């Protein structure tokens, strides 16, 4: 890998990859394996930091701290159709390095075949090929005491361990309710990050790869060919260090792979008419997130840094209606544990969804400085509550002044928004030196009703939370009534079934939060080619000659964590093209 502030002659590149997240890493890994010609060259352009020089994301404690770093974690300009702001974030660094996951779970081969074509046998083969690249040990044998406590509690509530896996990475099992999925965690018990998406690629001393970091692509210039097909002829980007606009003119044979997450549909959106491709910017979704209450772990259970995000989660299939044959939504339950000091940055970030009024949130999602200031204030508020707890505890236990520390456990439920959303252009200016999010907003239709169906999201959320309050009571005990009152005053998170309706009433108007799993906008079979007639066209943007998409914007939102689906899209693209 050679690093540069500027690129070589564009004619020397076979591919220019915009973005270096999970889809890009999987594509590069498989491409470099399949195409062994040393003359092949790839340029990768990344807006975020160089993973190998970013210490904030190499340790679990610093991973949560990275949520406070504006250079790594940012907010989408996301709202509901009614203008209610949604806290929807994304990390900006190489290889999905801002993610807490390295592996998690594969969507089922049936789901993959239904949405991307090519049949279940093909996807089973892709899963096995990709799994072999991760080389992860059995996570079931590496659970911490807190992880085993969670596993026992889930099993006592009727959940069963999913044993369908490939190389120790679970695969979602169709039509089976109440599953437990134990996945390999990228952190060891000391909280050190041992792997990330960048681990799939041999970056160093690789003459075929050139990487430019801190470079934000702001525009694609297209030209019309004789048959009215559009070819990308120039890429315009902003060098964020030099604060200069630069451009790359493309050679006739150079292809462009867009793996820029939410920026992928935004880069293509201005060309919808020229491409005659009005599916660009449509079918957008994310996992809506509802936090559960905060509980106290038993004193004999001491969480490790690895337990900040416990490496197992549970799924439950809930129907949309009382009809037994009705479509079902897969609800995911994720669990977090640790001392308040360890969880401070994570909790304070999520806390922003609850105590900041909507009017200020609108400014926050549009102005990074406001976001930074409110995150700092949120941490101070959480620290104040912790200090108040210490004072009250020391009054009752004077011999333990300054030595008191609670171990917490909490959970979230997340699921697909029932009505897909879309991108919307805000103005007609060219996004020169500004982030694309300044020119587009993402409309997510969570908790929205329409004339012929109920508010499905609310019904699912009520059922999921009401059913699993019993599980949370098995995991830990409720805080002191004073702190339970303060938690409910600020967040409305329920500790009783009769409190769930009040929580949802408030949440859907004031506290909307998503899981940073934004997908769609350039979906296979709608905006880009499935590659069923010609494998060399897989992922190609309809109406274009050299533009391809290889990230989650090519996919409907998976029912479970989309980490492995993002890898699979890039792996699949390289398989089909070569």
């Amino acid at each position: 890998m050679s690093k540069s502030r500027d690129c070589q002659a564009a004619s020397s590149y076979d591919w220019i990859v915009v973005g270096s997240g999970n889809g890009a890493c999987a594509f590069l890994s498989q491409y470099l394996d399949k195409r062994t010609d040393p003359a092949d060259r790839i340029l990768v352009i990344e807006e975020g930091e160089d993973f190998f020089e970013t210490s904030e994301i190499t340790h679990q404690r610093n991973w949560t701290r990275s949520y406070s770093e504006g250079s790594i974690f940012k907010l989408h300009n996301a709202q509901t159709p009614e203008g209610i702001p949604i806290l929807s974030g994304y990390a900006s660094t190489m290889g999905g390095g801002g993610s807490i996951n390295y592996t998690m779970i594969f969507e089922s081969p049936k789901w993959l075949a239904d949405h991307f074509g090519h049949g279940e046998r093909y996807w089973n083969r892709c899963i096995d090929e990709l799994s072999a690249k991760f080389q992860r040990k059995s996570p079931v044998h590496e659970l911490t005491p807190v992880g085993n406590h969670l596993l026992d509690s889930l099993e006592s509530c009727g959940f069963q361990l999913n044993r369908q896996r490939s190389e120790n990475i679970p695969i979602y099992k169709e039509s089976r309710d109440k599953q437990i999925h134990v996945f390999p965690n990228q952190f060891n018990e000391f909280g050190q990050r041992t792997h990330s998406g960048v681990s799939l690629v041999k970056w160093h001393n690789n003459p075929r790869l050139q990487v430019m970091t801190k470079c934000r692509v702001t525009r694609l210039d297209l030209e019309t060919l004789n048959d009215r097909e559009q070819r990308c002829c120039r890429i315009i980007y902003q060098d964020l260090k030099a604060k200069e606009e630069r451009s790359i003119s493309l050679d006739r044979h150079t292809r462009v792979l867009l793996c820029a997450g939410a920026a992928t549909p935004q880069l293509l959106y201005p060309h919808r008419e020229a491409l005659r491709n009005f599916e660009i910017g449509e079918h957008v979704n994310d996992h809506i997130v509802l936090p559960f209450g905060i509980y106290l772990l038993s004193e004999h259970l001491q969480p490790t840094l690895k337990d900040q995000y416990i490496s197992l989660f549970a799924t439950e299939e809930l129907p949309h209606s009382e009809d037994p044959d009705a479509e079902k939504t897969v609800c995911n339950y994720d669990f977090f544990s640790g001392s308040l000091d360890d969880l401070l940055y994570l909790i304070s970030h999520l806390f922003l969804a609850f105590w900041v009024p909507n009017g200020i949130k609108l400014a926050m999602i549009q102005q990074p400085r406001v976001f930074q200031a409110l995150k700092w204030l949120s941490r101070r508020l959480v620290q104040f509550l912790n200090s108040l707890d210490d004072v009250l505890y020391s009054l009752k236990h004077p011999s333990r002044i300054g030595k008191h520390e609670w171990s917490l456990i909490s959970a979230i439920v997340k699921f697909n928004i029932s009505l897909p959303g879309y991108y919307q252009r805000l103005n007609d200016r060219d996004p020169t030196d500004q982030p694309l999010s300044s020119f587009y907003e993402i409309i997510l239709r969570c908790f929205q009703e329409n004339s012929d169906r109920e508010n499905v999201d609310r019904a699912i959320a009520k059922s999921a939370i009401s059913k699993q309050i019993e599980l949370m009571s098995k995991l830990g005990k409720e805080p002191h009534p004073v702190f339970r009152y303060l938690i409910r005053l600020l967040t409305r998170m329920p500790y009783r079934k009769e409190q769930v309706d009040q929580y949802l009433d408030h949440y859907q108007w004031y506290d909307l939060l998503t899981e940073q799993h934004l997908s769609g906008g350039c979906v296979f079979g709608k905006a880009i080619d499935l590659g069923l007639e010609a494998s060399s066209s897989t992922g190609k943007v309809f109406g274009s000659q050299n533009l391809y998409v290889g990230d989650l914007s090519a996919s409907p939102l998976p029912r479970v964590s989309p980490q492995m689906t993002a890898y699979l899209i890039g792996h699949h693209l390289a398989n089909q093209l070569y």
Side-chain angles (χ1 to χ4, degrees):
M1 175 181 82
S2 59
K3 290 178 60 177
S4 175
R5 302 309 313 154
D6 208 346
C7 65
Q8 301 174 8
S11 59
S12 64
Y13 299 115
D14 296 275
W15 283 94
I16 296 178
V17 181
V18 179
S20 60
N22 296 328
C25 287
F27 173 83
L28 292 170
S29 172
Q30 190 69 351
Y31 174 88
L32 293 169
D33 284 349
K34 281 183 169 286
R35 296 278 291 178
T36 57
D37 185 347
D40 284 350
R41 291 183 59 79
I42 301 175
L43 171 66
V44 180
I45 307 175
E46 169 58 48
E47 176 184 347
E49 304 275 2
D50 183 337
F51 176 90
F52 304 103
E53 298 176 2
T54 312
S55 62
E56 287 88 347
I57 60 174
T58 56
H59 196 277
Q60 175 77 306
R61 190 188 301 274
N62 284 334
W63 175 82
T64 60
R65 185 169 186 169
S66 72
Y67 271 68
S68 71
E69 304 297 329
S71 61
I72 295 175
F73 186 81
K74 304 173 184 179
L75 288 179
H76 294 302
N77 184 5
Q79 303 177 36
T80 68
E82 296 80 17
I84 300 171
I86 304 170
L87 261 69
S88 177
Y90 65 101
S92 180
T93 190
M94 287 174 61
S99 172
I100 200 167
N101 306 328
Y102 173 45
T103 65
M104 197 165 188
I105 182 172
F106 286 105
E107 254 293 359
S108 73
K110 180 182 184 305
W111 187 94
L112 294 165
D114 287 346
H115 292 93
F116 305 144
H118 301 280
E120 292 184 43
R121 290 180 63 185
Y122 169 79
W123 288 106
N124 276 314
R125 188 167 69 250
C126 282
I127 285 171
D128 289 341
E129 288 173 355
L130 184 58
S131 299
K133 293 176 181 283
F134 290 94
Q135 299 179 337
R136 305 304 284 153
K137 296 178 182 177
S138 172
V140 180
H141 301 145
E142 295 188 329
L143 284 176
T144 64
V146 171
N148 280 307
H149 166 63
L150 173 56
L151 179 61
D152 292 341
S153 300
L154 285 165
E155 288 179 333
S156 72
C157 290
F159 288 85
Q160 295 182 321
L161 189 63
N162 173 21
R163 301 187 185 278
Q164 185 171 325
R165 53 187 59 240
S166 175
E167 297 288 338
N168 295 317
I169 303 172
I171 303 170
Y172 187 76
K173 195 167 184 178
E174 288 285 351
S175 303
R176 179 177 164 187
D177 194 17
K178 305 191 80 167
Q179 301 182 59
I180 304 168
H181 314 277
V182 185
F183 59 91
N185 193 296
Q186 62 180 321
F187 299 100
N188 64 22
E189 63 270 26
F190 304 109
Q192 296 164 320
R193 184 190 291 269
T194 58
H195 291 77
S196 186
V198 292
S199 307
L200 294 177
V201 183
K202 295 179 181 177
W203 297 91
H204 291 292
N205 300 318
N206 190 336
R208 300 169 67 189
L209 275 179
Q210 182 180 350
V211 179
M212 298 193 303
T213 56
K214 299 298 290 180
C215 291
R216 176 195 296 141
V217 175
T218 57
R219 194 168 74 247
L220 305 174
D221 281 356
L222 273 57
E223 64 179 6
T224 304
L225 302 179
N226 292 334
D227 58 357
R228 293 190 63 190
E229 221 176 24
Q230 299 292 311
R231 186 184 80 90
C232 181
C233 58
R234 194 163 68 116
I235 296 174
I236 296 90
Y237 67 94
Q238 179 76 7
D239 185 322
L240 300 178
K241 287 189 175 180
K243 297 184 178 178
E244 295 176 359
E245 182 179 278
R246 298 176 180 175
S247 66
I248 307 170
S249 295
L250 272 61
D251 191 75
R252 286 280 175 178
H253 80 278
T254 303
R255 287 180 280 184
V256 178
L257 177 62
L258 297 175
C259 295
T264 293
Q266 294 172 22
L267 287 167
L268 292 170
Y269 198 99
H271 307 292
R272 297 199 323 167
E273 188 170 341
L275 293 165
R276 291 168 287 167
N277 187 342
F278 295 96
E279 293 289 343
I280 294 169
E282 303 296 324
H283 316 289
V284 181
N285 212 331
D286 201 345
H287 285 127
I288 191 167
V289 171
L290 293 101
F292 280 60
I294 296 170
Y295 291 76
L296 304 178
L297 271 177
S298 170
E299 290 187 2
H300 77 274
L301 280 172
Q302 295 300 315
T304 69
L305 285 171
K306 188 175 180 178
D307 292 313
Q308 288 187 43
Y309 182 27
I310 303 173
S311 56
L312 64 84
F313 72 102
T315 55
E316 180 178 26
E317 295 187 355
L318 295 179
H320 290 180
S321 68
E322 295 180 359
D323 181 358
D325 298 323
E327 181 183 2
K328 293 183 178 181
T329 293
V330 176
C331 291
N332 300 252
Y333 302 97
D334 292 5
F335 303 89
F336 306 84
S337 181
S339 69
L340 185 59
D341 286 344
D342 291 334
L343 296 174
L344 174 64
Y345 288 96
L346 183 62
I347 289 176
S348 61
H349 168 74
L350 295 176
F351 202 29
L352 281 172
F354 295 100
W355 73 271
V356 178
N358 276 348
I360 298 178
K361 279 182 194 167
L362 283 171
M364 182 177 75
I365 64 178
Q366 296 164 0
Q367 299 292 333
R369 289 183 179 179
V370 177
F371 183 34
Q372 289 292 96
L374 288 172
K375 280 192 285 189
W376 178 88
L377 187 58
S378 188
R379 289 198 299 276
R380 299 289 84 81
L381 184 55
V382 174
Q383 286 172 328
F384 167 76
L385 293 175
N386 190 36
S387 299
L388 179 61
D389 174 56
D390 289 340
V391 170
L392 294 177
Y393 186 84
S394 64
L395 291 176
K396 189 174 180 181
H397 305 88
S399 64
R400 297 189 62 187
I401 294 177
K403 299 179 181 179
H404 167 59
E405 188 176 78
W406 293 117
S407 293
L408 309 176
I409 189 163
S410 187
I412 58 173
V413 58
K414 63 190 181 191
F415 53 89
N416 297 32
I417 302 168
S418 62
L419 298 174
Y422 50 90
Y423 286 80
Q424 181 170 282
R425 184 132 191 195
L426 293 173
N427 53 58
D428 294 324
R429 293 181 297 152
D430 286 329
T432 51
D433 61 344
Q434 299 294 320
L436 288 165
S437 57
S438 301
F439 299 85
Y440 295 88
E441 62 183 355
I442 300 165
I443 303 299
L444 297 175
R445 300 163 67 190
C446 38
F447 287 98
Q448 186 177 348
E449 297 182 31
N450 60 25
S451 57
D452 61 343
R453 63 192 299 182
E454 63 173 341
N455 188 329
V456 173
D457 297 335
R458 194 184 193 286
I460 294 294
K462 181 177 180 179
S463 177
I465 295 173
S466 299
K467 291 174 69 174
Q468 300 312 328
I469 284 180
E470 177 189 358
L471 168 65
M472 294 304 298
S473 67
K474 290 177 180 289
L475 296 178
K477 65 179 182 179
E478 296 177 8
H480 187 279
V482 172
F483 290 95
R484 195 163 66 242
Y485 172 79
L486 288 172
I487 290 168
R488 295 215 63 247
L489 177 67
L490 292 168
T491 69
R492 273 71 170 185
M493 284 192 286
Y495 285 89
R496 305 284 182 272
K497 288 183 180 180
E498 57 270 20
Q499 297 169 342
V500 174
D501 276 319
Q502 181 193 19
Y503 176 45
L504 295 177
D505 288 341
H506 194 273
Y507 180 91
Q508 70 183 79
W509 293 107
Y510 302 104
D511 303 329
L512 293 176
L513 179 70
T514 65
E515 181 65 352
Q516 302 138 38
H517 289 168
L518 198 69
S519 73
C522 300
V523 174
F524 270 114
K526 299 181 184 294
I528 64 174
D529 202 318
L530 283 166
L532 299 180
E533 295 183 6
S535 61
S536 60
S537 295
T538 305
K540 184 189 286 188
V541 178
F542 288 133
S544 79
Q545 186 253 356
N546 65 339
L547 286 171
Y548 296 76
V549 176
D551 60 14
L552 276 174
S553 59
S555 171
L557 182 63
R559 299 164 298 179
V560 291
S561 177
Q563 183 95 354
M564 298 309 299
T565 304
Y567 287 128
L568 271 174
I569 289 171
H571 182 90
H572 162 62
L573 210 63
N575 266 352
Q576 291 297 307
L577 295 177
Y578 299 99

